[in-house]
Amino acid sequence: MKLRRADFPTDFMFGAATAAYQIEGHSFGGAGPTHWDTFSATPGNVVGAENGAIACDHYHRMDADLDLLSDAGMDAYRFSTSWARVLPDGRGTPNQDGLDFYDRLVDGCMARGLKPFQTLYHWEMPSALADLGGWTNPDVADWMADYAEVITRRIGDRVHSIATLNEPWCVSYLSHFLGHHAPGLRDIRATARAMHHVNKAHGRTMTRLRDMGQDTCGIVLNFEATQAASDISADRRAAATQDATHNRWFIEAIAKGHYPAEALDGLEPHLPANWQDDMAEISQPIDFLGVNYYTRGLVQAVENAPWPATAPVGGPLDKTQMGWEIYPQGLQDTLIRMAKDYVGTLPMFVTENGMAWPETDGHADDARTGFIDSHLQAMHAAIGQGVNLQGFFYWSLLDNYEWAFGYEKRFGLVHVDFDTLDRTPKSSYHALKTAIARQDPA
Ligand code: FCB
């Protein structure tokens, strides 16, 4: 890799990210059922109908997994706490085993000098709340704040930062409009409500965390480099619409207290009554912004189709195992855009960036090393242009449950054999370890 730790600001943090349902093994330790358990049990939704019941068995292998982070010389670990592990029915009586597990996890981070970056919601809605409409129910804001309070009482004294939600676009649009993720809806009214209620839940949870005295609270949003497939005006309009729903809806609500007009064009008739009344709480200050970035999105207009009248187009660039184009320039552009248009000098972190790549002999994954290298260069360039970027978390530490793609798509720095659950660091793990090693003072 071309860049080294010394090329970044002194306190810049290097880490890796994971999420509860994707690694822990949801059948262990008294966790309650979630909408991912039912979504994956419904034929056709997930490759091989695979689920997170065992996943990487991180629940029983936490210490070894934390060792993988510290052995790589990392500074921080981004993980999520599972709502359904903390509160199996979504509300009411907490699961003591679940609270104890996260207590050990945070202590395990501290003991290894890893700063714990917690995310409160990385997608496992408890089934009892999904039964009440999940993200389409306005009460979800209070349900989430109550859950946040329970887990924060237990670990809030030691976590370095708390992100309310991971990727609200996926929680709402991908899951309620495109139907790709749980609960698998394709319904514009449900989508508009979910897109507003995730913001409302973020705001209500921020209020609760502030009332509890927590600092370093923020949110993790996902961005793509949206581009029109051609220069014709219809395609440029299509790109503006997609940019509004994907890249602008959430950050604009949080940073400016309003929604983009190009998105309201289609969604406003379906928003809950008096949604404007929630915007003040949604747009309260945050302490950091987490940026997840993977690829660009080429888009074209579709004639005679209902809003948004857009369709994705395949591009010519090299692709990952997901079929996603590799486009590091988009990360640099996103970071600069966020600073310039929305958050100024607020601290930002790249909270996810990585690639899926198939298994190779000897776990040699030079393609992944190259991907990390090129994206670190994009971050470095953004910092050079004044962006207050304070850290980078590779997605993901381990090969894991890649949602609707099951276990086939491998994002890990560390290979997981899903028969034996053995972990083997790949060549990219070693390359990153070398790049971020601390040099002894001369
Ligand atoms: C992100 C998710 C993460 C993982 C990566 C590949 O959208 O936050 O859980 O699935 O994509």
Side-chain angles (χ1 to χ4, degrees):
M1 287 206 236
K2 291 197 185 65
L3 293 172
R4 291 280 183 271
R5 181 185 283 276
D7 296 309
F8 287 83
T10 316
D11 294 330
F12 193 86
M13 291 180 227
F14 293 91
T18 65
Y21 192 81
Q22 295 179 272
I23 64 165
E24 287 176 358
H26 200 74
S27 56
F28 308 126
T34 82
H35 67 180
W36 267 97
D37 300 309
T38 43
F39 182 73
S40 55
T42 310
N45 285 340
V46 174
V47 172
E50 290 173 327
N51 59 39
I54 296 174
C56 305
D57 190 29
H58 171 73
Y59 186 78
H60 297 109
R61 296 162 194 254
M62 180 178 76
D63 280 306
D65 291 340
L66 293 177
D67 286 344
L68 286 165
L69 292 156
S70 50
D71 289 350
M74 292 189 182
D75 311 293
Y77 176 41
R78 176 172 178 249
F79 61 92
S80 74
T81 48
S82 160
W83 188 338
R85 183 176 295 289
V86 172
L87 292 163
D89 299 319
R91 298 179 286 185
T93 310
N95 168 29
Q96 287 307 325
D97 284 353
L99 290 171
D100 291 348
F101 172 72
Y102 292 122
D103 201 77
R104 289 199 305 279
L105 175 60
V106 171
D107 278 349
C109 287
M110 311 285 282
R112 292 168 177 83
L114 297 164
K115 292 196 169 60
F117 278 62
Q118 179 194 6
T119 300
L120 284 164
Y121 186 79
H122 200 130
W123 303 358
E124 56 285 278
M125 173 65 69
S127 294
L129 301 181
D131 292 344
L132 301 176
W135 290 107
T136 66
N137 188 326
D139 294 341
V140 70
D142 289 321
W143 301 337
M144 181 166 166
D146 290 347
Y147 149 60
E149 182 172 337
V150 173
I151 184 66
T152 302
R153 273 214 201 103
R154 188 64 186 267
I155 63 173
D157 57 335
R158 281 156 291 153
V159 291
H160 181 78
S161 77
I162 304 175
T164 53
L165 290 122
N166 178 69
E167 302 191 348
W169 180 84
C170 294
V171 173
S172 53
Y173 200 92
L174 186 69
S175 308
H176 295 75
F177 197 64
L178 301 178
H180 288 319
H181 279 187
L185 299 184
R186 291 177 48 73
D187 183 289
I188 195 168
R189 185 171 171 86
T191 302
R193 278 151 198 269
M195 286 177 80
H196 182 64
H197 293 152
V198 286
N199 282 337
K200 184 169 158 164
H202 160 75
R204 189 62 47 85
T205 302
M206 286 294 295
T207 302
R208 190 71 64 88
L209 294 172
R210 298 293 192 212
D211 288 348
M212 296 178 74
Q214 293 296 137
D215 51 21
T216 322
C217 301
I219 190 165
V220 169
L221 305 178
N222 59 308
F223 300 94
E224 61 164 28
T226 308
Q227 294 175 0
S230 85
D231 216 22
I232 65 171
S233 61
D235 286 348
R236 280 193 272 119
R237 266 199 312 279
T241 303
Q242 183 157 309
D243 184 50
T245 53
H246 196 121
N247 297 320
R248 292 173 55 202
W249 179 271
F250 304 97
I251 189 62
E252 211 147 303
I254 291 166
K256 300 187 174 172
H258 54 72
Y259 290 133
E262 295 87 340
L264 285 175
D265 278 351
L267 296 172
E268 189 161 21
H270 309 289
L271 283 170
N274 304 319
W275 56 270
Q276 293 89 342
D277 296 348
D278 299 323
M279 298 313 278
E281 190 172 29
I282 291 170
S283 62
Q284 66 183 284
I286 52 176
D287 303 315
F288 72 91
L289 174 66
V291 170
N292 290 359
Y293 173 85
Y294 287 91
T295 189
R296 76 170 173 171
L298 279 182
V299 57
Q300 68 184 8
V302 183
E303 276 179 45
N304 301 320
W307 184 94
T310 58
V313 184
L317 305 178
D318 288 348
K319 297 182 183 56
T320 71
Q321 189 191 14
M322 299 293 280
W324 296 348
E325 283 188 309
I326 300 174
Y327 187 60
Q329 182 67 43
L331 175 56
Q332 183 180 336
D333 295 346
T334 296
L335 292 168
I336 291 169
R337 179 188 193 187
M338 285 305 119
K340 184 168 152 289
D341 293 352
Y342 296 105
V343 301
T345 55
L346 189 82
M348 282 193 270
F349 294 86
V350 171
T351 32
E352 284 182 31
N353 172 248
M355 80 183 292
W357 198 247
E359 285 177 297
T360 52
D361 284 347
H363 308 309
D365 58 345
D366 294 350
R368 178 172 287 107
T369 304
F371 183 98
I372 297 172
D373 197 17
S374 60
H375 287 80
L376 277 177
Q377 289 177 47
M379 293 175 228
H380 188 256
I383 293 170
Q385 288 176 265
V387 172
N388 186 14
L389 184 67
Q390 299 195 349
F392 155 59
F393 294 82
Y394 178 78
W395 180 273
S396 183
L397 175 66
L398 304 170
D399 291 339
N400 61 40
Y401 179 65
E402 182 41 44
W403 307 113
F405 296 95
Y407 292 93
E408 193 201 359
K409 303 287 192 261
R410 293 178 174 271
F411 277 89
L413 294 169
V414 175
H415 176 267
V416 177
D417 178 324
F418 289 107
D419 294 325
T420 63
L421 295 167
D422 286 347
R423 277 85 160 130
T424 312
K426 304 178 190 177
S427 59
S428 58
Y429 172 97
H430 297 293
L432 184 59
K433 175 176 173 164
T434 303
I436 68 176
R438 289 182 187 280
Q439 303 300 317
D440 291 331

